[in-house]
Amino acid sequence: MELNLKRPLVVFDLESTGLNITEDRIIELSYVKVYPNGKEETNTFRFNPERTIPQQAIAVHGITNEDLVNEPTFKQRAHDIARVFEGSDIAGFNSNHFDIPLLAQEMSKAGVSFDPSQHRFIDVQTIYHKREKRDLEAACIFYCGHPMEHHHSAADDAKTTLEVLKAQLDHYANDAEPLQNDVEYLSSYSTHNRNVDLAGRIIYNEQQQPVFNFGKHKGKTVEDVFTKLDYGYYDWMMKSDFAENTKQVITKLYIQYKKK
């Protein structure tokens, strides 16, 4: 089933130096950009992370320091990357938890604006886990009927993710609860929590209030913590190892609540 799009959808995948969103760096970004008329655009960017890639990461994606020595840094290509995503919705596999937060972190480090509120996010892994509870390789076999050719290649992962998303729409078309061929629905369905920040450190509760989703104040509203329970918590978060997007979100909330 082809996607029903009102604006472009960028299906992307990252390879990185590791899994720490605040510390690790993107070394490869591949995407398939699908337009409402069905046209597809693909590209792969590689970046010099300006640090040594750990062997455990190389064992996963096969990209070595020597492969990247002559590549530009992410900062040097950040404006090009921003233009790819501009005006588009975004999809990936486990992207809500890793790829998008890491991309936002890199954009922040490069001084380039990346506003999550301007995009809707579809996490194909979440759809898959809600339905079948497996990973991308198993998803490809289950939905598409064939194994992945090159597992952990960013380009192949992005292409496979798009193929799986289309196949998911076909597979569940006749279910009692069919998947709707609509980006807004798929974005909502592929989100476990209603995140306020990309990393999910702050989420909305049933009353649509921002609440902390970690640590000693988990489940408490941000407003109560900042204005009644722990006056120093904002300062502690700003000095701690949180993603830049999380710090931007809590700063907006802190200013908002302090004005009341």
Side-chain angles (χ1 to χ4, degrees):
M1 182 184 297
E2 292 304 313
L3 298 172
N4 178 24
L5 302 176
K6 296 180 177 64
R7 62 177 186 170
L9 179 69
V10 177
V11 184
F12 83 113
D13 186 73
L14 302 177
E15 302 297 350
S16 65
T17 60
L19 301 177
N20 187 320
I21 290 170
T22 61
E23 296 294 334
D24 281 304
R25 308 304 299 269
I26 297 172
I27 58 174
E28 185 173 79
L29 184 153
S30 293
Y31 71 89
V32 182
K33 189 171 185 176
V34 188
Y35 292 85
N37 64 4
K39 174 188 171 183
E40 293 186 6
E41 165 191 318
T42 64
N43 205 350
T44 295
F45 297 90
R46 282 190 167 186
F47 313 101
N48 186 333
E50 300 180 292
R51 65 174 62 181
T52 301
I53 305 172
Q55 283 301 315
Q56 59 265 37
I58 295 174
V60 173
H61 49 60
I63 302 173
T64 67
N65 292 281
E66 291 74 19
D67 294 330
L68 305 173
V69 66
N70 294 320
E71 298 292 346
T73 64
F74 186 93
K75 185 174 183 178
Q76 290 172 322
R77 299 301 302 272
H79 286 286
D80 296 331
I81 301 301
R83 281 191 286 271
V84 170
F85 291 91
E86 185 177 4
S88 301
D89 296 313
I90 303 173
F93 198 86
N94 194 35
S95 49
N96 285 356
H97 297 96
F98 179 71
D99 301 79
I100 291 169
L102 181 57
L103 177 63
Q105 181 77 357
E106 286 277 29
M107 287 293 192
S108 178
K109 288 178 180 177
V112 176
S113 176
F114 180 78
D115 185 356
S117 68
Q118 299 304 306
H119 309 276
R120 287 171 295 189
F121 303 113
I122 300 174
D123 193 326
V124 174
Q125 185 192 61
T126 301
I127 295 174
Y128 183 40
H129 284 183
K130 282 187 172 181
R131 299 282 182 159
E132 308 299 341
K133 316 294 186 190
R134 303 275 178 90
D135 61 12
L136 179 58
E137 188 170 16
C140 185
I141 296 171
F142 183 87
Y143 291 109
C144 306
H146 63 80
M148 293 177 63
E149 293 183 7
H150 303 288
H151 193 35
H152 287 306
S153 159
D156 284 295
D157 284 3
K159 292 176 183 177
T160 300
T161 299
L162 174 60
E163 185 180 3
V164 169
L165 176 58
K166 291 179 178 180
Q168 285 175 329
L169 291 170
D170 286 323
H171 187 84
Y172 299 113
N174 297 316
D175 273 19
E177 184 190 348
L179 287 179
Q180 298 175 28
N181 192 353
D182 176 81
V183 169
E184 186 171 356
Y185 166 85
L186 293 171
S187 176
S188 176
Y189 187 82
S190 62
T191 303
H192 284 296
N193 295 315
R194 294 190 59 241
N195 292 355
V196 182
D197 68 319
L198 291 173
R201 296 290 191 171
I202 304 167
I203 62 175
Y204 290 107
N205 62 14
E206 293 181 356
Q207 291 73 42
Q208 310 307 313
Q209 299 169 309
V211 301
F212 286 106
N213 193 36
F214 73 98
K216 65 180 181 179
H217 294 306
K218 184 174 183 178
K220 299 174 185 176
T221 67
V222 177
E223 182 175 11
D224 281 350
V225 172
F226 283 171
T227 63
K228 300 176 184 178
L229 302 176
D230 195 338
Y231 299 110
Y233 205 61
Y234 169 75
D235 290 334
W236 172 79
M237 289 190 68
M238 294 302 292
K239 294 174 182 177
S240 299
D241 189 25
F242 290 97
E244 287 302 315
N245 172 258
T246 300
K247 292 182 178 180
Q248 291 166 3
V249 167
I250 65 164
T251 296
K252 289 181 181 179
L253 293 172
Y254 182 79
I255 293 171
Q256 174 186 329
Y257 297 141
K258 287 297 183 181
K259 285 182 178 179
K260 288 186 176 182

